[in-house]
Amino acid sequence: MELSISKETLHFKKPARTSRGEYSLHEMYLITLTDKETGKKGTGELAPLPDLSCDRNAYPDISEVRRLAEKALPSVINGSWPDDMLSYPALRFALESAVAETRSINQKERISIPINGLVWMSSFEDMLEQVKVKMAIGFRCIKLKIGAIDWQKEIELIRYVRSCFPKEDLQLRVDANGAFAPEWAMDRLNELAKYDIHSIEQPIRQGQWDEMARLCKESPLAIALDEEMIGINDPKEKARLLDTIHPQYIVLKPTMHGGISGTREWIELADKRGINSWITSALESNIGLRSIALLAESVYGPNITFPQGLGTGQLFTDNIENNIQIEGANIVVR
C-alpha cells in the first residue's frame, strides 16, 4: 500500500456549540492509501475532537501521523490493530476506512439511512427556528443539545415542541454532554420525562460510574452513554463498564470509540447484555460520514428504521464531495 497524507480545514456555517464549548473550524488529516496491485484508492479521515477525544493531542503534524500510520498499517491490512496502539481510535478509524475502501466492490444500489435532525445549542429563538426548519424538511426524530443556556428556557423549548408535535409524530432525543451535576440530575430527568423524551445522552460527566449506574437504574427516561466510553479501549474494561452502569443505550462515534472494529466490538458486547445502540458522527466531513454510514448499514442491516446520528456534514460551508448527501431526513450513499 502506498500512503499519502494531507492536512485540511473545513469551516462551520455557524459555530457548533456544546456544553463544553464551541467549534468554528474542523481540522483533519486525510490519509489516502493506494493498492499498488489494483490501483484502487481509499481515503480515511483523522479528526479527533480537540476537547474530547482521548487522542486529541497525538497528531501534532504530518510527520507524526505518518510514523504512527506506518506502524499500524500492516496490522490493519491483516484485519487487526496493534495492542500497544489502542489509545489511538481516530487513527484507527481513518486507516480502517481507507483500507476498507481499497477493497470495496462498486456499489450497485444506493444506501439510504434515516437520521435525526440535530438542533445545536443557541438562543431560545434560534433553537426553536432550527426545530421548525427540521420539521419542515421532514425529520421525525430530533435531537436537542441542552445544558448551555438557561434550564427553564430549555424546558420551555421542549414543552413548546412537544405541544406542537406529539410523540406519535416526533421522537425527541436530548444530549446533555455531561452538563448535569449528580446531586440534581434526577430532578431534571424527572422534569424531562413529562415530555415523552426518547432518551438523554450523557446526563452527567464521564468517570462517575456509580452515580451513572444509579441514574440508569432509577431514571424515568432512557439514558444513553457517549463520552463515558471515550478512552475505554480494552475489551475487558468495556465489558466492566457496561456491566457496572448497564445503560439503556450506547451511542457510538467511531472516531472516538475505537474505529470501525472497536465500534463493532462495543455493539457486540452491548447486544449480549440487552443494551441497544446507534451510531453517530463526531463532526466528520463527508469523507468520514460515508465510512460511518456504510458501517451503520453493515451493522444494522440494509433496512434501518431507527434514526442514526449522521447529519453533521451539513454543518460546513466547504465540505468535500464524496457521493454522499442528505435527502429529506435520510443520508444517502451512492
Side-chain angles (χ1 to χ4, degrees), residues 259-271:
I260 293 173
S261 55
T263 294
R264 287 183 180 277
E265 187 174 71
W266 272 114
I267 292 172
E268 289 170 4
L269 289 168
D271 283 347

Side-chain angles (χ1 to χ4, degrees), residues 49-261:
L49 291 183
D51 300 319
L52 202 53
S53 297
C54 68
D55 53 345
R56 57 191 176 274
N57 299 318
Y59 317 105
D61 50 44
I62 286 180
S63 63
E64 180 63 6
V65 173
R66 178 175 292 277
R67 184 187 73 81
L68 292 169
E70 289 176 345
K71 177 182 177 181
L73 186 55
S75 295
V76 179
I77 291 172
N78 290 322
S80 63
W81 184 257
D83 288 340
D84 62 345
M85 296 186 70
L86 289 176
S87 59
Y88 296 88
L91 177 67
R92 187 176 182 178
F93 173 59
L95 286 176
E96 289 179 337
S97 298
V99 168
E101 190 174 358
T102 66
R103 295 173 174 172
S104 65
I105 300 172
N106 291 334
Q107 258 178 244
K108 294 182 180 179
E109 297 181 0
R110 73 176 197 165
I111 295 170
S112 182
I113 299 172
I115 59 175
N116 62 247
L118 182 58
V119 174
W120 286 93
M121 292 175 177
S122 185
S123 66
F124 173 90
E125 292 77 16
D126 184 63
M127 292 179 75
L128 179 58
E129 183 60 27
Q130 289 182 64
V131 171
K132 290 179 177 178
V133 169
K134 298 295 184 186
M135 293 298 296
I137 290 172
F139 284 93
R140 291 300 176 262
C141 175
I142 287 178
K143 185 171 88 170
L144 297 166
K145 290 276 189 178
I146 62 174
I149 64 174
D150 178 75
W151 172 247
Q152 292 307 317
K153 284 286 187 182
E154 290 178 335
I155 284 294
E156 183 182 344
L157 174 66
I158 291 169
R159 183 187 301 117
Y160 177 82
V161 171
R162 185 51 84 205
S163 70
C164 297
F165 305 101
K167 65 178 181 178
E168 293 78 16
D169 297 334
L170 175 65
Q171 184 183 98
L172 265 180
R173 303 173 184 172
V174 296
D175 183 358
N177 288 122
F180 300 168
E183 57 268 25
W184 42 259
M186 188 59 72
D187 290 338
R188 295 202 170 175
L189 295 177
N190 285 328
E191 194 164 3
L192 286 167
K194 299 175 184 177
Y195 304 103
D196 297 309
I197 302 297
H198 169 269
S199 57
I200 180 170
E201 290 180 42
Q202 204 69 42
I204 63 175
R205 286 191 179 273
Q206 66 265 41
Q208 305 175 86
W209 288 17
D210 290 342
E211 290 292 344
M212 186 67 86
R214 178 183 63 83
L215 292 176
C216 289
K217 183 178 181 180
E218 299 176 4
S219 172
L221 67 151
I223 290 177
L225 300 187
D226 180 353
E227 290 95 332
E228 198 70 64
M229 300 177 293
I230 296 173
I232 309 295
N233 299 302
D234 179 80
K236 292 182 179 178
E237 191 69 358
K238 290 180 180 181
R240 189 172 77 86
L241 182 147
L242 294 176
D243 288 336
T244 300
I245 298 178
H246 206 88
Q248 287 75 32
Y249 293 94
I250 58 173
V251 182
L252 285 309
K253 294 181 171 74
T255 285
M256 296 195 286
H257 296 138
I260 293 173
S261 55

